[in-house]
Amino acid sequence: MWNPVSVAVLALVTVLAPLMAQAEGGGFWDTQRTGANSFNRSPSLQPFGEARRLGLGFMRLTFTKWASAKRDFLIGDVSDYRGLVQEDLKILRGVLDGAAKQGIGIILTPLSLPGSRWRQFNGAKNDLRLWQDKTWWNQAASFWKDLAFELNGHPAVVGFNILNEPAPDLASGLAEEAGAEDRDTWCRNATGTASDLDAFYRKVVASIRSADASTPIILDAGFYTQPMAIRCLKPIDDGSVLYSVHLYEPYEFTSHFNKGKFQYPGDVTYGEKTEFWDRERLQIHLAPLLEWATQWKVPTDRLMIGEFGCYRRNRGCATYLSDTITLLNEKGLHWAFYGFREDEWDGYDYEVGSGPLPDTYWDAVDRGETPTRPRPGSPMSDVIRAGLAPPPAARSVRSGQ
């Protein structure tokens, strides 16, 4: 006869079982996974319950915004890493435990590393030390080794994303929209220097693997994770490494800087040209990732679109999301939209809709409160909900596998 304790244990095991697959060397990612980004400033406001009810399989979570007694959460000081901040590590563990209870896989994604403080925490200035002096590589590798050792085997952790949107090419003069020839020239010139992202990743991956042999590792392409920048990377001989790009192009449309100038589909400024952007153009923009994977025989289940999205008040945002999700699902890629229930900014909170938030909300913010945004839903959130991949077990039943 079942007792309440037995039932509770069985329920917990049922929830955690899919997450525990990560211990098998990336098994969690053998089936297409769809999720969201959680870049919240408060560790206590992580929306794991809402994520589970929506049907998200995982979340890219950053801890960089969280408050700490030190300057930089968990790292202590990115200008002088001396080991993990233990008080912060306890907070992070608590958040991960909460994710595990809801069955949400977590990709840990720092916005800062030793030698590279996140621009928004650096007086709006780019911190490029990591890409100018290999001394910082050692500190970054030490940080990841320490963190991997501490979190090895945690049931919620399904990925270590070494650094969100690295940009070693930022100060080089290379255009963000540069083509394959210009990109390849830059890659060759960066080889062996502190800007060599491929060599940096190999060092950090080796450091992580000295402490954790199996947790999947996600590597973002360069120049804010542009698809074309994947050409600077060569696959690492590790079946649990995934490769990620982000999709925010055309940025003149997707960003809040649009201010009504452009709509989707439509003509949008891209670099020094005006181009018509629609689903076909999105596919062309994504193509470098797929061509790279074909060239190096990287399987589709090791490719990820770690972020995509558009400012919710831009005309055509729902269509942009629909075209992007349809394209990614056709290719069978893992993906995570930006963002979900963010506590700092409403610009990519699609459940709010395309209109302004009410004055009562902003009045509460002005009083120092953290009000709940009204989220009636919208065509944008409907598109996301419809595009989410079903749980792996459900897929197997329907496909007869």
Side-chain angles (χ1 to χ4, degrees):
M1 179 177 181
W2 291 99
N3 58 50
V5 174
S6 298
V7 173
V9 170
L10 178 60
L12 183 60
V13 170
T14 300
V15 168
L16 297 183
L19 302 184
M20 291 178 178
Q22 62 89 19
E24 300 175 3
F28 179 88
W29 300 105
D30 290 347
T31 300
Q32 187 198 17
R33 301 283 181 166
T34 52
N37 286 269
S38 179
F39 283 15
N40 285 354
R41 61 183 175 181
S42 172
S44 64
L45 293 178
Q46 301 303 324
F48 299 134
E50 293 89 344
R52 177 181 56 80
R53 287 186 284 274
L54 178 60
L56 300 180
F58 72 98
M59 299 183 78
R60 289 178 80 238
L61 180 145
T62 190
F63 47 78
T64 299
K65 295 182 179 182
W66 299 351
S68 171
K70 305 293 184 179
R71 179 168 182 181
D72 300 297
F73 187 91
L74 196 61
I75 297 175
D77 186 345
V78 302
S79 294
D80 186 20
Y81 177 67
R82 294 177 177 268
L84 301 176
V85 179
Q86 292 303 307
E87 295 80 3
D88 295 347
L89 181 61
K90 291 178 183 178
I91 293 172
L92 177 58
R93 284 186 184 277
V95 171
L96 294 175
D97 291 346
K101 289 178 182 178
Q102 296 293 341
I104 299 296
I106 295 297
I107 297 176
L108 287 174
T109 309
L111 309 181
S112 297
L113 280 182
S116 178
R117 180 172 283 115
W118 184 41
R119 177 184 171 88
Q120 294 189 38
F121 283 180
N122 194 50
K125 298 178 180 179
N126 296 314
D127 183 0
L128 301 177
R129 291 173 294 170
L130 184 64
W131 314 120
Q132 296 169 340
D133 185 345
K134 289 185 179 181
T135 301
W136 295 107
W137 290 19
N138 297 328
Q139 289 199 28
S142 294
F143 163 74
W144 265 115
K145 179 180 179 179
D146 294 345
L147 187 59
F149 176 80
E150 292 290 347
L151 298 181
N152 188 357
H154 193 289
V157 179
V158 296
F160 295 139
N161 201 157
I162 290 177
L163 178 63
N164 182 66
E165 297 190 343
D169 27 22
L170 187 61
S172 67
L174 181 71
E176 191 169 358
E177 67 278 4
E181 184 176 351
D182 288 341
R183 166 56 58 178
D184 290 347
T185 297
W186 186 89
C187 297
R188 287 193 299 270
N189 291 338
T191 301
T193 73
S195 296
D196 189 341
L197 185 62
D198 184 78
F200 169 75
Y201 278 153
R202 290 174 188 277
K203 181 178 182 65
V204 178
V205 168
S207 188
I208 290 173
R209 287 292 178 244
S210 71
D212 181 329
S214 60
T215 297
I217 299 172
I218 292 87
L219 307 182
D220 282 9
F223 220 136
Y224 300 124
T225 318
Q226 285 280 1
M228 187 64 74
I230 196 71
R231 296 174 69 91
C232 288
L233 304 183
K234 295 181 181 178
I236 293 175
D237 187 16
D238 185 321
S240 295
V241 170
L242 289 81
Y243 303 88
S244 176
V245 302
H246 295 178
L247 298 181
Y248 286 111
E249 299 296 354
Y251 190 71
E252 293 293 325
F253 161 72
T254 62
S255 78
H256 64 288
F257 298 113
N258 182 342
K259 299 187 184 302
K261 295 191 296 293
F262 305 107
Q263 65 180 28
Y264 179 91
D267 291 327
V268 184
T269 300
Y270 183 65
E272 299 179 352
K273 300 184 295 184
T274 296
E275 299 182 2
F276 185 81
W277 280 77
D278 56 5
R279 183 179 164 192
E280 181 179 353
R281 183 62 181 85
L282 291 176
Q283 183 164 333
I284 292 171
H285 182 67
L286 176 64
L289 173 67
L290 304 178
E291 294 167 357
W292 176 88
T294 299
Q295 175 189 355
W296 293 104
K297 297 181 173 56
V298 175
T300 300
D301 61 16
R302 292 302 178 261
L303 304 179
M304 177 181 296
I305 309 303
E307 291 184 29
F308 68 89
C310 52
Y311 183 59
R312 65 182 180 84
R313 303 187 69 176
N314 291 346
R315 292 177 296 163
C317 184
T319 304
Y320 180 88
L321 293 173
S322 177
D323 283 356
T324 301
I325 290 172
T326 299
L327 174 61
L328 301 184
N329 283 347
E330 285 179 353
K331 304 300 182 183
L333 306 177
H334 308 299
W335 56 257
F337 69 90
Y338 188 92
F340 184 61
R341 301 290 177 102
E342 185 168 319
D343 62 0
E344 188 171 21
W345 190 45
D346 65 279
Y348 289 68
D349 191 341
Y350 306 115
E351 296 167 290
V352 171
S354 58
L357 288 163
D359 290 341
T360 53
Y361 173 86
W362 295 115
D363 290 342
V365 171
D366 290 341
R367 292 193 297 269
E369 301 172 8
T370 307
T372 300
R373 295 177 192 141
R375 293 187 172 98
S378 73
M380 293 172 285
S381 57
D382 290 344
V383 162
I384 291 170
R385 186 185 299 272
L388 293 172
R395 292 167 65 94
S396 296
V397 169
R398 284 198 292 274
S399 63
Q401 296 178 356

